[in-house]
Amino acid sequence: MSSTYTDPLDRLDGVLDELAAISPEFRTVDEKQELLLRISRLISRAESERLRVLAVADGIAEETGDRSTAAWLSMQTRDNHATVRRHGALASSLASRWGQTADALGVGDLNLAQARVIVEALDALPDELGDDLVVKAEAYLVEQAEVFGPRELRNL
């Protein structure tokens, strides 16, 4: 296991190059289904890693002189600043409070939209609820995410 990001990211780039060399138009329906499902799970896992690092990356802004790490990242990736800022807020919530949700996203059992809806719902719970009930609510929503998408989770 590497202690830096360089080797695993290089291997991941290589694997993505390998996947890109496969022509999907000549694959069976079953193969396309498998790729779509597995790549979606891998994207969720990659999003989890990005959030995990973003949650502890305040030093980047200090080093670069940017007003925030979100500002730096949005400039470097040419992504929407508001989107990256929302990712940063989600990253903080996952790292500080919602461990079950973070774990489920990390193994690909949730997608980013589901994780966001779950965190927003949990953050909106009244302060006077006991910790037991809050833990149960998080477990329930994570469990329900196996069946329901973001819209349905929001309704739950």
Side-chain angles (χ1 to χ4, degrees):
M1 178 175 272
S2 178
S3 63
T4 68
Y5 293 118
T6 303
D7 290 342
L9 288 172
D10 287 346
R11 288 193 305 273
L12 186 55
D13 275 339
V15 169
L16 290 173
D17 289 343
E18 195 175 328
L19 283 172
I22 300 170
S23 297
E25 55 272 6
F26 301 114
R27 303 288 60 157
T28 67
V29 168
D30 287 344
E31 289 173 313
K32 291 174 190 174
Q33 286 175 315
E34 180 183 15
L35 174 68
L36 289 171
L37 291 175
R38 290 185 68 184
I39 203 79
S40 295
R41 186 176 190 90
L42 290 169
I43 289 167
S44 292
R45 294 185 70 192
E47 288 285 4
S48 174
E49 285 305 305
R50 179 168 63 169
L51 293 176
R52 197 170 65 91
V53 174
L54 193 55
V56 296
D58 291 339
I60 291 174
E62 293 169 15
E63 285 283 321
T64 63
D66 288 288
R67 69 178 181 268
S68 68
T69 299
W72 171 84
L73 184 58
S74 65
M75 189 181 321
Q76 296 299 312
T77 61
R78 293 157 311 284
D79 201 348
N80 183 293
H81 184 281
T83 300
V84 178
R85 194 175 59 243
R86 280 193 314 275
H87 288 332
L90 177 61
S92 295
S93 290
L94 290 171
S96 65
R97 186 149 189 218
W98 307 118
Q100 293 178 72
T101 306
D103 291 345
L105 181 62
V107 297
D109 288 345
L110 298 177
N111 61 48
L112 186 61
Q114 288 174 307
R116 184 175 306 287
V117 166
I118 290 170
V119 166
E120 288 171 357
L122 294 169
D123 283 344
L125 290 173
D127 291 337
E128 58 271 4
L129 286 182
D131 288 342
D132 290 0
L133 193 53
V134 171
V135 168
K136 287 178 184 177
E138 183 181 15
Y140 176 75
L141 289 173
V142 168
E143 179 183 307
Q144 294 305 304
E146 293 175 17
V147 179
F148 297 115
R151 179 184 300 159
E152 296 86 1
L153 285 171
R154 184 172 284 114
N155 291 334
L156 288 174

